Amino acid sequence: MQQFLPVSKEDMKKRGIQQLDFVYVCGDAYVDHPSFGAAIICRILELHGYSVGIIPQPDWKDDNSINILGEPRLGFFVSAGNMDSMVNHYSVSKHHREYDNYSPGGKAGLRPDYATIVYCNLIRHTYKTKPIIIGGIEASLRRLAHYDYWSNKVRRSILLDSGADIISYGMGERSVVEIADCLASGMDVKDITYIDGTVYKTRDKSFTEDAIILPSFEEIKADKKLMQKASILNT
Ligand code: B12
C-alpha cells in the first residue's frame, strides 16, 4: 500500500531516507488526493524516482519550521495552496474570512498573507542559495507585473519579491520533472532557462530575437493602459 509522504524526520527514518531530494512547502494542510496540486506534484516527482517530504502550513514566524525535514539535496518546491492566499483570507469586500476550508478543522490563520513570498523568504533565512521553485495558482497568476486587488497596487513579478529561482506556472506535471532532472544532473538552477511553462529572471536580453517584449513593470505602473496591452500581448 502506498504510504503518505514524509512529514517528519521519524517518517524519513521509517522509509530509510537520510536526506530528501526535495522538500515541498505548502499553505494548505496535506491532503493526499488528486484534486490537490501538492499531492499531484509530489507524487509525480516520486514516480520519477525522487524522494519528497512535505511541510504543510509551517509557522512562518519560526525559522525552525522550515528545517524539520533537514536540508533537501536538490531544492524546495513552494506553493501558497489551492487558492491565492489573499482570496483564501479575504472576501471580495475585503472582510476577513472566518473559515479556511484547506486547514484542519476549518481553522483560519494557519497561513500568512502573500504566503508564497513569506515561505520563500523564510527558506532564504536558512538556505541562501538552495534552488526554490514556486508554483500553483498564487505564483502562476502573479508571474508577471500584475494588479493586486488587495493592496490596490500594481505589483512586480512574484519571482522578484519571493527570491525564488523559477516559477512553474499552470499545470506543473511536466515542467517539475524536467526541472528536477536538470537539478539532479548537476545543472546550476540559473542555467535552467528553457523549459516551457516556466519563468526565470535575467538581465541578459540577448536571447530575445523572436521574443514578444511586454511593457515593463515601471511602464505599467506609470500608465495603466499598458496593463491591458501587456495582457493582450501575453495571450
Ligand atoms: C473545483 C474548483 C472549486 C471547488 C473545490 C472543490 C474541492 N474539493 O477542492 C469548489 C466549487 C468548492 C470551489 C470553491 C471556490 N473556489 Co474554486 N475552483 C475550482 C476549479 C474549477 C478547479 C480547481 C482544481 O481542483 N483543480 C485541480 C488541481 C489539481 O489543479 P491546481 O490546484 O491548479 O494544480 C495544478 C497547477 O496549479 C500546478 N500546481 C499546483 N500546485 C503547485 C505547486 C508547485 C510547486 C508547482 C510547481 C505547481 C503546482 O500543478 C497542478 C497540476 O496541474 C478552479 C479553476 C481552475 N480551472 O483551476 C477554481 C478556482 C481555484 N476557484 C476559485 C475561487 C475564487 C473559489 C471560491 C473562493 C469561490 C467563492 N467565492 O466562494 C471558493 C473557495 C472554496 C474554499 N475552499 O474556500 C478561483 C481562485 C482564484 C485565485 N486567484 O485563487 C479559481 C482559480 C477560479 C477562478 N478562475 O476564479 N472551487
Side-chain angles (χ1 to χ4, degrees):
M1 201 180 81
Q2 196 170 34
Q3 298 177 345
F4 285 110
L5 296 160
V7 294
S8 65
K9 279 259 171 81
E10 218 171 85
D11 289 348
M12 287 167 61
K13 207 166 152 197
K14 275 189 210 149
R15 289 165 182 69
I17 301 171
Q18 291 248 327
Q19 186 182 30
L20 291 158
D21 292 322
F22 291 104
V23 167
Y24 188 108
V25 178
C26 187
D28 290 336
Y30 169 28
V31 180
D32 209 322
H33 184 276
S35 70
F36 284 74
I40 293 186
I41 298 300
C42 293
R43 293 303 189 184
I44 291 256
L45 288 166
E46 236 187 4
L47 193 69
H48 284 79
Y50 297 102
S51 56
V52 190
I54 186 157
I55 307 182
Q57 304 189 313
D59 177 359
W60 62 97
K61 294 173 242 63
D62 177 7
D63 282 358
N64 285 330
S65 65
I66 227 70
N67 291 318
I68 57 166
L69 301 176
E71 178 175 358
R73 186 172 69 90
L74 298 173
F76 285 90
F77 285 93
V78 176
S79 161
N82 277 350
M83 291 157 63
D84 188 286
S85 55
M86 301 306 281
V87 180
N88 180 280
H89 284 173
Y90 303 96
S91 69
V92 169
S93 48
K94 299 189 180 173
H95 288 130
H96 228 290
R97 292 184 199 269
E98 282 165 18
Y99 200 79
D100 182 340
N101 277 313
Y102 296 119
S103 290
K107 198 169 171 223
L110 295 181
R111 85 188 81 209
D113 282 3
Y114 302 107
T116 307
I117 294 175
V118 175
Y119 293 150
C120 289
N121 290 174
L122 188 65
I123 294 170
R124 282 284 176 250
H125 285 176
T126 309
Y127 304 107
K128 305 285 177 220
T129 55
K130 205 83 211 173
I132 304 180
I133 298 102
I134 57 178
I137 291 217
E138 181 165 286
S140 296
L141 296 185
R142 295 174 182 272
R143 66 187 181 277
L144 303 173
H146 58 281
Y147 173 67
D148 179 59
Y149 173 73
W150 316 102
S151 57
N152 192 23
K153 282 193 179 116
V154 177
R155 289 184 69 122
R156 57 190 193 155
S157 166
I158 194 169
L159 197 57
L160 300 172
D161 286 335
S162 65
D165 297 288
I166 301 179
I167 303 174
S168 154
Y169 64 88
M171 296 171 72
E173 286 88 335
R174 200 178 45 75
S175 61
V176 292
V177 176
E178 282 189 63
I179 295 168
D181 289 348
C182 288
L183 293 172
S185 75
M187 259 179 91
D188 190 317
V189 70
K190 295 198 171 43
D191 296 326
I192 308 176
T193 56
Y194 53 84
I195 296 176
D196 285 347
T198 62
V199 179
Y200 66 94
K201 50 196 164 196
T202 181
R203 290 183 192 282
D204 174 15
K205 290 191 185 158
S206 61
F207 67 93
T208 51
E209 237 170 70
D210 302 324
I212 298 168
I213 309 280
L214 304 180
S216 69
F217 166 66
E218 286 75 18
E219 287 169 333
I220 287 176
K221 243 177 104 177
D223 180 355
K224 285 181 202 158
K225 284 197 181 133
L226 288 176
M227 173 71 88
Q228 289 165 311
K229 192 177 167 196
S231 306
I232 293 163
L233 283 172
N234 191 27
T235 47

